[in-house]
C-alpha cells in the first residue's frame, strides 16, 4: 500500500548505510521488499560488516512484526 511504501521511506532515513526498496519478480507477478547495503570494501572490516547486517536485520524484523509475514 502507499502507506507501507511511505513507512519504508521513513525507515530509510534512520539507516545511514542501507535502504529498503521493492524488487519486482516478473515470473511470479509479485513485488518483494528487499534490503540493500553499500560498503566501501577497501576500508570495511568484519566487525563493521557484522554490525551493519544486524542493524538491517533488526529493522526488517521490526517491519515484519508490525505487518506480518516473517517468511525468512
Amino acid at each position: 500500500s502507499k502507506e507501507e511504501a511511505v513507512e519504508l521511506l521513513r525507515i530509510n532515513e534512520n539507516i545511514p548505510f542501507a535502504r529498503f526498496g521493492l524488487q519486482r519478480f516478473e515470473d511470479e507477478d509479485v513485488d518483494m521488499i528487499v534490503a540493500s547495503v553499500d560498503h566501501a570494501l577497501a576500508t570495511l572490516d568484519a566487525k563493521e560488516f557484522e554490525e551493519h547486517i544486524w542493524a538491517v536485520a533488526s529493522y526488517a524484523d521490526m517491519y515484519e512484526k508490525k505487518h506480518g509475514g516473517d517468511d525468512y
Side-chain angles (χ1 to χ4, degrees), residues 28-45:
E28 297 179 24
D29 194 33
V30 66
D31 292 319
M32 182 177 287
I33 297 171
V34 296
S36 300
V37 180
D38 296 321
H39 291 288
L41 294 178
T43 60
L44 181 66
D45 62 39

Side-chain angles (χ1 to χ4, degrees), residues 27-64:
D27 56 332
E28 297 179 24
D29 194 33
V30 66
D31 292 319
M32 182 177 287
I33 297 171
V34 296
S36 300
V37 180
D38 296 321
H39 291 288
L41 294 178
T43 60
L44 181 66
D45 62 39
K47 179 145 178 66
E48 180 183 22
F49 179 70
E50 182 179 359
E51 289 172 358
H52 290 186
I53 294 301
W54 279 109
V56 171
S58 295
Y59 279 101
D61 286 344
M62 175 186 67
Y63 184 85
E64 288 176 332

Side-chain angles (χ1 to χ4, degrees), residues 10-33:
R10 292 213 163 107
I11 291 171
N12 285 343
E13 292 176 351
N14 297 315
I15 310 174
F17 47 80
R19 68 202 161 281
F20 290 99
L22 292 177
Q23 182 174 356
R24 180 79 176 161
F25 289 89
E26 299 289 336
D27 56 332
E28 297 179 24
D29 194 33
V30 66
D31 292 319
M32 182 177 287
I33 297 171

